């Protein structure tokens, strides 16, 4: 049975590929590196190459870009003005940056200086995040209670920030921005692409030129030619580097191709396949000067990852939206529709297990690769199920 692919509001493969990348993010994050094949884990910073883990995050960034035009379209249908939508973009970005920095610093906390264990601090932090950004149901009778929960979450974060101390006696430090954390990187990339998507609209050629602009920024930054901007790098470094924005913008370009009403579904897929080949060609061409390295954020790595993401998305579009074969992807669809909840909820479980000293991670060993990989797959499936359960009881993050 063939689905109606021309429904403008929903392409099922968007949720499924977002869920696939999220599923793989949870999987590779859980892997015990000494006990699994090297092709599954991150490649060392100065080594020319990439494994599965090196594609997963840019794959998710790519899907952030693809989702942007549909999110903007949805808000416009609700009657929101450009100013209102831009305000939402800014607030969503700030939320992602804040949560990203909190996650980054949770690993830096000195328990002795702070007077609280790292596990307890992290659990309370994640609970506060859920209290603040949960999508509460519309219920006039309970609205004041929900507002109270949000206020409790805000007070919780303020209290946790007050007691937070890192470093050591004689050299105590507070929060640091660092590399902003995963959610922070997503936030900066989203800010750039969503702003372009809002004010440029569906003008494909201009969006492609802006994509190339950030690819060039990434090249110049990798060559050290933007070092004169180091004074603003602590804040705007992710944008100036160009790497993350260029990946999100690649997704935005693909999304705009799929929104071209004059093209048939097959032609849309064909154009994106050509763009995938182009991205791969550019990536391997740039490899002459820049190694393929996720940790160094090289332009060769970004373009190769874009090419891979485009191929996978077109394949999923053909299977899911054209052929109508969806049932096999149920677990990915669930994860994709609850992405932030699915990503953050496992951390609460991690810290509970670590804090209580439970021996549940016995599969993290280097004797049996089958046990190590299989254990992480089971863990990931369990965490996706956990997030789905939370969603059913109205616990679902929405920024």
């Amino acid at each position: 049975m063939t689905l109606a692919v021309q429904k403008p509001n929903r392409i099922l493969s968007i949720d499924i590929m977002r869920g696939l990348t999220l599923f793989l993010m949870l999987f590779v994050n859980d892997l015990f590196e000494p006990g699994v094949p090297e092709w599954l884990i991150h490649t060392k910073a100065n080594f020319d190459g990439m494994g599965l883990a090196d594609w997963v995050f840019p794959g998710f960034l790519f899907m952030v870009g693809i989702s942007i035009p549909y999110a903007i379209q949805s808000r416009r249908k609700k009657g929101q003005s450009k100013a209102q939508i831009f305000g939402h973009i800014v607030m969503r970005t700030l939320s992602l940056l804040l949560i990203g920095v909190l996650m980054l610093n949770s690993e830096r906390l000195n328990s002795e200086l702070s007077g609280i264990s790292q596990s307890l601090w992290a659990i309370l932090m994640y609970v506060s995040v859920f209290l603040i950004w949960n999508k509460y149901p519309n219920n006039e009778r309970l609205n004041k209670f929900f507002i109270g929960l949000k206020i409790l979450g805000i007070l919780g974060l303020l209290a946790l920030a007050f007691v937070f101390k890192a470093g050591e006696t004689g050299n105590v430090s507070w929060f640091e921005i660092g590399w902003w954390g995963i959610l922070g990187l997503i936030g900066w990339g989203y800010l750039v692409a969503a702003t372009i998507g809002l004010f440029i609209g569906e003008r494909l050629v201009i969006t492609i030129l802006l994509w190339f602009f950030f690819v060039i920024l990434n090249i110049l930054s990798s060559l050290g030619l933007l070092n004169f901007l180091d004074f603003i790098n602590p804040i705007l470094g992710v944008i100036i580097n160009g790497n993350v924005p260029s990946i999100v913008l690649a997704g935005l370009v693909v999304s705009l191709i799929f929104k071209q009403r004059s093209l048939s579904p097959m032609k849309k897929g064909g154009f994106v396949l050509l763009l995938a080949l182009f991205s791969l060609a550019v990536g391997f061409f740039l490899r002459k000067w820049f190694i393929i390295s996720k940790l160094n954020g090289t332009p060769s790595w970004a373009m190769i990852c874009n090419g891979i993401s485009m191929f996978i998305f077109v394949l999923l579009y053909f299977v899911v939206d054209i052929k109508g074969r969806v049932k096999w992807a149920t677990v990915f669809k669930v994860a994709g529709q609850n992405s932030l909840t699915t990503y953050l909820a496992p951390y609460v479980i991690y810290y509970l297990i670590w804090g209580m000293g439970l021996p549940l991670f016995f599969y993290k060993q280097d004797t049996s690769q089958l046990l190590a990989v299989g254990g992480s797959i089971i863990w990931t499936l369990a965490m996706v199920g956990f997030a789905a359960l939370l969603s059913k009881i109205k616990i679902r993050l929405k920024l």
Side-chain angles (χ1 to χ4, degrees):
M1 179 179 178
T2 301
L3 296 179
V5 296
Q6 290 298 339
K7 290 182 179 180
N9 293 329
R10 207 67 184 172
I11 295 178
L12 292 177
S13 46
I14 292 178
D15 283 335
I16 289 171
M17 183 162 170
R18 187 194 300 117
L20 170 64
T21 57
L22 188 57
F23 182 93
L24 291 174
M25 282 175 71
L26 296 182
F27 170 63
V28 299
N29 285 345
D30 187 68
L31 288 173
F32 181 65
E33 293 194 3
V36 302
E38 289 189 2
W39 63 270
L40 287 175
I41 61 178
H42 290 104
T43 304
K44 303 301 180 184
N46 295 316
F47 184 82
D48 182 25
M50 59 183 288
L52 173 65
D54 297 306
W55 168 76
V56 171
F57 179 56
F60 187 83
L61 288 175
F62 176 84
M63 294 312 300
V64 169
I66 280 189
S67 303
I68 285 171
Y70 298 95
I72 292 174
Q73 177 179 289
S74 175
R75 290 189 170 273
R76 281 179 171 162
K77 285 185 175 180
K78 294 176 183 177
Q80 294 188 7
S81 66
K82 279 190 176 181
Q84 289 175 313
I85 297 173
F86 183 66
H88 169 76
I89 290 170
V90 171
M91 289 305 298
R92 193 179 193 193
T93 299
L94 292 175
S95 298
L96 287 167
L97 294 179
L98 174 60
I99 300 171
V101 170
L102 288 170
M103 292 177 67
L104 177 68
N105 283 275
S106 66
E107 300 177 359
R108 298 180 57 246
L109 178 130
N110 184 311
S111 298
E112 292 184 3
L113 294 175
S114 303
I116 183 173
S117 74
Q118 188 180 77
S119 293
L120 181 57
W121 191 95
I123 291 168
L124 293 175
M125 182 269 288
Y126 284 111
V127 169
S128 297
V129 165
F130 272 87
L131 289 174
I132 297 169
W133 283 282
N134 186 51
K135 185 180 180 181
Y136 294 100
N138 292 322
N139 188 322
E140 291 186 7
R141 186 170 58 87
L142 295 175
N143 278 346
K144 290 184 178 179
F145 175 66
F146 294 148
I147 292 172
L149 291 179
K150 286 179 177 284
I151 293 173
L152 180 61
I154 293 171
L155 293 175
L157 286 187
L158 290 174
L160 291 170
F162 179 76
V163 303
F164 181 92
K165 291 182 179 64
E168 54 189 25
T169 304
N171 187 27
V172 180
S173 61
W174 198 52
F175 290 131
E176 65 176 29
I177 293 172
W179 57 279
W180 295 99
I182 291 293
L183 292 186
L185 295 179
I186 293 172
W188 284 118
Y190 166 77
L191 175 64
V192 171
T195 302
I196 290 172
L198 177 62
F199 292 104
I200 301 301
E202 296 185 10
R203 286 174 281 188
L204 180 59
V205 174
I206 296 177
T207 305
I208 290 174
L209 291 175
L210 288 169
W211 172 33
F212 290 167
F213 169 76
F214 279 95
V215 173
I216 292 170
L217 268 187
N218 192 196
I219 292 171
L220 295 176
S221 177
S222 297
L223 291 172
L225 298 178
L226 300 181
N227 290 346
F228 65 95
L229 296 173
D230 282 353
F231 69 101
I232 55 174
N233 270 346
I235 302 296
L236 299 177
V238 177
I239 295 178
I240 293 169
N241 177 267
N243 183 266
V244 168
S246 74
I247 297 171
V248 184
L249 282 169
L252 179 59
V253 167
V254 169
S255 188
L256 294 183
I257 291 174
F258 273 88
K259 289 180 72 67
Q260 300 299 308
R261 297 176 182 84
S262 60
L263 298 177
S264 69
M266 294 303 291
K267 284 185 177 179
K268 292 175 183 179
F271 278 122
V272 175
L273 285 178
L274 289 175
L275 194 60
L277 290 172
F278 169 78
S279 298
L280 289 172
V282 171
F284 282 106
F285 175 73
L286 291 174
R287 191 184 187 189
K288 295 181 180 180
W289 298 277
F290 310 99
I291 63 171
I292 301 170
S293 174
K294 174 192 175 180
L295 297 181
N296 288 324
T298 59
S300 54
W301 165 76
M303 292 301 289
I304 289 171
C305 287
N306 285 337
I308 294 171
S309 298
M310 291 172 191
F311 271 118
I312 294 174
F313 182 70
V314 171
L315 176 62
L316 288 174
Y317 179 73
F318 178 78
V319 172
V320 173
D321 292 284
I322 293 181
K323 292 298 183 181
R325 297 174 182 172
V326 184
K327 291 183 179 180
W328 65 273
T330 299
V331 65
F332 303 133
K333 184 180 178 182
V334 169
Q337 292 176 340
N338 302 281
S339 55
L340 192 56
T341 308
T342 304
Y343 181 68
L344 290 184
Y347 284 97
V348 179
I349 307 299
Y350 271 129
Y351 281 106
L352 278 172
I353 293 171
W354 291 333
M356 298 173 67
L358 299 176
L360 295 183
F361 296 122
F362 61 89
Y363 59 89
K364 294 178 182 290
Q365 40 72 54
D366 56 11
T367 303
S368 170
Q369 290 188 347
L370 180 62
L371 178 59
V373 174
S376 289
I377 291 174
I378 293 172
W379 166 265
T380 304
L381 289 170
M383 291 302 100
V384 171
F386 176 55
L389 176 62
L390 290 178
S391 181
K392 286 185 177 181
I393 60 175
K394 308 302 180 183
I395 299 177
R396 182 187 180 194
L397 290 173
K398 184 75 172 178
L399 301 185

